Amino acid sequence: FIYLFNSNITPGKNGVPVAENFRLEQSTIADTVQAGQVRVKTLYLSVDPYMRCRMNEDTGSDYLQPWRLSEVADGGGIGVVEESKHHSLGKGDFVTSFTWPWQTEAILDGDLLQKLVPQLVNGRLSYFLGAAGITGLTALLGIREKGHVAAGANQTMVVSGAAGACGSLAGQIGRLEGCSRVVGIAGTDEKCSVLVQEMGFDAAINYKKGDVAKQLRELCPGGVDVYFDNVGGDISDTVISQMNQNSHIILCGQISQYNKDVPYPPPLPPDTEKIRKERNITRERFLVLNYMDKQEASVLQLCQWIQEGKLKVR
């Protein structure tokens, strides 16, 4: 079975994706595995916010290729090798790729696959697409490269989209890296409860209830030093208004803007931009793929935290 980006219905640059933008088909794959190839069975696929950008002819990013009409969708995936003609991969090996096709079985170039070690994540293979994959790397490297977190500096971190795959890790990693206070922003009481009770956040705000600015002032009395921004829009404007002099925004995502025809990163409203400049708040585009030289060591750090129970994963 293969899942394709539909041939005649697209969401456009302004629009919300719907099921009709895709279709499922049954197809056949080659009978023969060629030299250097492997036949794999798909186990896990990652569905991520950036994929909305791939539904546009112009993705807005030179590193993102658009999904082509009537072609198989792809993204982060994990599978098991069923047949191999690749020198370093054998039957039963678990492998991953950032460009895994959305199909139940496939024949792939073995050189483009990374072999996985399940023991590193206590056998939870899907973690290699999340906490020990690009998602976890984004949280860890974002904080280390753009957050300027220093142990003992009494810093307060705010995370928007805090109950998401990346945000829930970012808050925990902020604490592990040295933040003294971590506050999350999410969209339901249940999510807020999970952040505080399970993930170790000091507090969480349900942005759909009450006055977010007022709650932020109460929960961050010393202001905000580091903002891990996953959402953009009004929430980010509110957080930025309470950020301290020489503070830092980790520009991870702007998911509230992905269904709109705006540049990335979206420009801030004039009043918010004025605050950012006056307070010398950094807001630099962050792309985890620019730090792949630190990937191996960072993945091992994430795996260690998972094994030690310091990084909670849902």
Side-chain angles (χ1 to χ4, degrees):
F1 287 96
I2 58 175
Y3 202 54
L4 302 106
F5 193 40
N6 213 335
S7 59
N8 39 25
I9 307 171
T10 67
K13 291 199 78 167
N14 285 291
V16 178
V18 293
E20 288 72 27
N21 297 142
F22 297 88
R23 70 181 193 271
L24 183 68
E25 287 185 357
Q26 190 164 6
S27 186
T28 58
I29 57 176
D31 294 329
T32 306
V33 176
Q34 302 295 329
Q37 294 181 329
V38 294
R39 185 193 304 273
V40 294
K41 177 182 178 182
T42 300
L43 299 177
Y44 298 99
L45 297 171
S46 186
V47 184
D48 302 290
Y50 79 86
M51 291 174 169
R52 174 61 183 89
C53 305
R54 299 191 66 189
M55 297 182 198
N56 300 331
E57 184 65 30
D58 176 10
T59 65
S61 302
D62 51 10
Y63 67 94
L64 281 182
Q65 295 300 312
W67 278 336
R68 298 297 179 187
L69 295 177
S70 288
E71 291 190 1
V72 183
D74 70 297
I78 290 172
V80 61
V81 175
E82 296 191 317
E83 181 184 351
S84 175
K85 288 190 178 176
H86 188 272
H87 60 88
S88 62
L89 296 173
K91 185 176 180 180
D93 284 345
F94 296 105
V95 290
T96 187
S97 167
F98 195 59
T99 55
W100 195 282
W102 283 12
Q103 54 193 71
T104 53
E105 291 192 30
I107 293 176
L108 304 176
D109 181 347
D111 287 342
L112 302 181
L113 301 174
Q114 180 183 353
K115 189 174 176 179
L116 299 174
V117 181
Q119 293 87 341
L120 289 175
V121 289
N122 301 326
R124 301 292 295 272
L125 277 170
S126 66
Y127 284 15
F128 285 117
L129 294 180
I134 287 289
T135 311
L137 287 170
T138 300
L140 177 58
L141 291 170
I143 289 167
R144 287 184 172 175
E145 299 295 330
K146 300 294 185 182
H148 302 272
V149 172
N154 196 33
Q155 291 165 296
T156 294
M157 172 185 279
V158 170
V159 183
S160 58
C166 193
S168 62
L169 298 170
Q172 296 178 78
I173 292 170
R175 170 86 76 210
L176 290 166
E177 291 288 286
C179 286
S180 59
R181 186 162 184 78
V182 178
V183 176
I185 302 174
T188 69
D189 289 342
E190 181 189 5
K191 289 178 180 180
C192 290
S193 176
V194 167
L195 291 173
V196 175
Q197 300 299 326
E198 296 183 26
M199 306 291 187
F201 284 60
D202 292 285
I205 296 169
N206 181 348
Y207 70 88
K208 295 180 182 177
K209 286 186 174 180
D211 186 331
V212 174
K214 179 173 181 289
Q215 292 178 78
L216 262 181
R217 281 191 293 272
E218 292 170 352
L219 295 172
C220 307
V224 179
D225 301 297
V226 184
Y227 173 39
F228 199 100
D229 185 7
N230 286 306
V231 302
D234 294 342
I235 293 295
S236 291
D237 296 339
T238 301
V239 176
I240 293 168
S241 71
Q242 297 189 32
M243 293 186 74
N244 293 324
Q245 193 75 24
N246 302 319
S247 54
H248 304 282
I249 299 167
I250 301 166
L251 191 60
C252 177
Q254 302 281 277
I255 194 169
S256 71
Q257 308 299 303
Y258 287 172
N259 290 324
K260 301 175 184 177
D261 185 6
V262 294
Y264 187 88
L268 296 170
D271 289 348
T272 306
E273 179 63 13
K274 183 181 179 188
I275 290 171
R276 190 196 68 76
K277 286 183 175 178
E278 288 175 348
R279 298 181 192 171
N280 192 35
I281 302 169
T282 64
R283 182 182 184 255
E284 300 166 346
R285 185 170 185 172
F286 170 72
L287 177 60
V288 70
L289 298 178
N290 289 340
Y291 301 94
M292 285 298 96
D293 58 316
K294 301 181 180 181
Q295 177 184 9
E296 187 174 350
S298 299
V299 168
L300 289 175
Q301 174 66 86
L302 292 164
C303 290
Q304 181 182 334
W305 281 336
I306 291 168
Q307 290 172 344
E308 294 172 349
K310 292 179 179 178
L311 204 55
K312 304 290 195 306
V313 186
R314 269 209 160 197

